Amino acid sequence: MRFGYRDRCLDHDTGSRHPETADRLRAIRRGLKRRHGVEYDDGSFADRAALEAVHDPDYVADVEEFCADGGGTWDADTVAVEATWDAARASAGLACWAAEEALDGSDGRQTPFSIGRPPGHHAETDEAMGFCFFNNAAIAANQALERDGVDRVAIFDWDVHHGNGTQDICYDDPNVFYASFHERGLFPGTGDILETGGPNARKTVLNAPLPGGCGDVEYTTAVDDLLAPALDRFDPDLFLISAGFDAHQHDPISRMRVSTEGYGVLTDRVRSIAEDSDAALAFILEGGYGLDALSDSVGMVHETFDGRQPVEPEGEILSKAKRVLADVRDAHDL
């Protein structure tokens, strides 16, 4: 794979006790050193026009001023320093790089994966929250839609938390499909099954709030039974993965049970969906706070594109998850 990375993202200093630290990127990079075929690109900084195309201009100015004044605590979870402004623009720029590379034909072993920080999927149109300042995936999707021949973009968010910001930004846009598989009841508490898109974009938001304890079987079944048929109907030109790895069984902040191997299976599934849709495919890092689990899982995504065939999960789907999937199918007429 080709990884988008820029050292400036390390300068976003959240403090030693915060779960979202620069050590996340350092761990990913250390893990990738052991693997074959890894390439890096430093992308470019997202400019103000790209940010303001998705976020309220006054909010963008507020973030810039907040950082210029030395940063501090934006909310209980979201902190900044002076360098956060450049780090956040670098992270958004790397997401745009990934989308552009995919649309320019990078696939297979050259499939792009942006590993910037801060993450983005909780950032709303006019508010930072949940460690996020700018919504990297939404910015990348919006920029992609400016290209000739790109009419529809799909975003699949497999982070354990619901991407309230991405949903907020894309909710009434018929050209963007947003799907989220997240742990029910976890921060930020959004992502209900009946939230299916605004009046101009019916059935373009698909939320699967899965119960705690779900793992490889439940996630794989949800992709096969919900995501694949929904995207077959939507027919995207670009398929972005908001790739958080905090549903891992060894992540410290969730109760989900996805294994490292399971992320390989999910990667194989989304690759097949992209191929079936003839859609360009790119990955954008979101969460993941157990450093070894994060590093191993990103490495598994890479190895899957490098030729490793992941092992299919075995076992029965949890009955409480089965009910959720049935309700989502009903909500989306799948």
Side-chain angles (χ1 to χ4, degrees):
M1 298 188 82
R2 296 183 64 193
F3 288 89
Y5 169 81
R6 186 178 280 260
D7 281 342
R8 190 63 63 89
C9 292
L10 303 177
D11 297 333
H12 170 53
D13 186 0
T14 56
S16 60
R17 300 178 65 85
H18 198 282
E20 202 292 293
T21 72
D23 286 342
R24 299 175 63 236
L25 300 193
R26 295 189 183 105
I28 291 171
R29 296 257 291 175
R30 283 196 303 272
L32 291 174
K33 280 184 179 180
R34 304 191 300 267
R35 291 173 165 91
H36 172 268
V38 175
E39 299 180 21
Y40 286 99
D41 195 299
D42 60 4
S44 60
F45 291 93
D47 61 21
R48 186 175 293 274
L51 302 178
E52 292 181 350
V54 166
H55 294 284
D56 186 283
D58 289 340
Y59 165 70
V60 174
D62 287 346
V63 174
E64 182 179 25
E65 182 179 357
F66 185 71
C67 295
D69 290 341
T73 301
W74 184 283
D75 64 23
D77 299 312
T78 312
V79 299
V81 294
E82 184 177 355
T84 297
W85 170 251
D86 280 346
R89 291 192 303 122
S91 189
L94 288 167
C96 293
W97 163 85
E100 293 293 327
E101 283 294 316
L103 289 167
D104 286 342
S106 292
D107 58 9
R109 285 181 165 87
Q110 296 294 305
T111 297
F113 193 147
S114 163
I115 52 171
R117 64 178 288 274
H121 72 151
H122 294 307
E124 298 181 337
T125 304
D126 58 358
E127 190 60 80
M129 62 181 292
F131 316 161
C132 306
F133 287 92
F134 299 129
N135 198 299
N136 304 321
I139 292 168
N142 183 78
Q143 183 165 295
L145 287 167
E146 296 296 316
R147 289 177 54 133
D148 290 340
V150 180
D151 298 319
R152 292 173 299 280
V153 177
I155 303 170
F156 173 35
D157 190 337
W158 74 36
D159 190 282
V160 80
H161 304 94
H162 178 246
N164 59 293
T166 313
Q167 176 172 302
D168 172 66
I169 292 166
C170 303
Y171 199 69
D172 200 33
D173 186 344
N175 302 314
V176 180
F177 182 96
Y178 175 68
S180 174
F181 295 175
H182 49 276
E183 182 178 333
R184 183 175 62 206
L186 208 59
F187 175 91
T190 53
D192 187 82
I193 291 171
L194 295 180
E195 297 167 4
T196 60
N200 297 309
R202 297 296 188 192
K203 303 294 194 300
T204 60
V205 171
L206 186 153
N207 286 312
L210 298 168
C214 288
D216 299 351
V217 172
E218 288 77 21
Y219 273 74
T220 303
T221 303
V223 169
D224 292 344
D225 291 0
L226 305 178
L227 185 66
L231 290 188
D232 181 64
R233 184 167 61 192
F234 185 72
D235 191 25
D237 302 300
L238 172 65
F239 189 16
L240 299 176
I241 310 302
S242 273
F245 296 92
D246 36 10
H248 195 284
Q249 59 190 345
H250 297 310
D251 193 274
I253 64 173
S254 83
R255 300 175 297 155
M256 292 308 208
R257 307 296 300 166
V258 179
S259 69
T260 302
E261 192 74 27
Y263 283 113
V265 175
L266 289 176
T267 299
D268 190 49
R269 287 297 201 279
V270 298
R271 177 173 58 184
S272 294
I273 290 173
E275 290 172 352
D276 290 344
S277 301
D278 195 25
L281 176 65
F283 293 73
I284 299 168
L285 183 66
E286 297 288 357
Y289 306 102
L291 297 184
D292 289 342
L294 173 62
S295 175
D296 291 345
S297 297
V298 173
M300 177 60 74
V301 174
H302 167 71
E303 288 185 2
T304 302
F305 280 100
D306 200 40
R308 185 184 187 279
Q309 184 61 46
V311 179
E312 287 288 319
E314 297 180 349
E316 292 293 324
I317 185 172
L318 295 175
S319 59
K320 53 187 178 180
K322 191 178 295 186
R323 290 193 292 272
V324 172
L325 269 57
D327 289 343
V328 177
R329 280 195 298 272
D330 288 346
H332 284 267
D333 302 319
L334 297 174

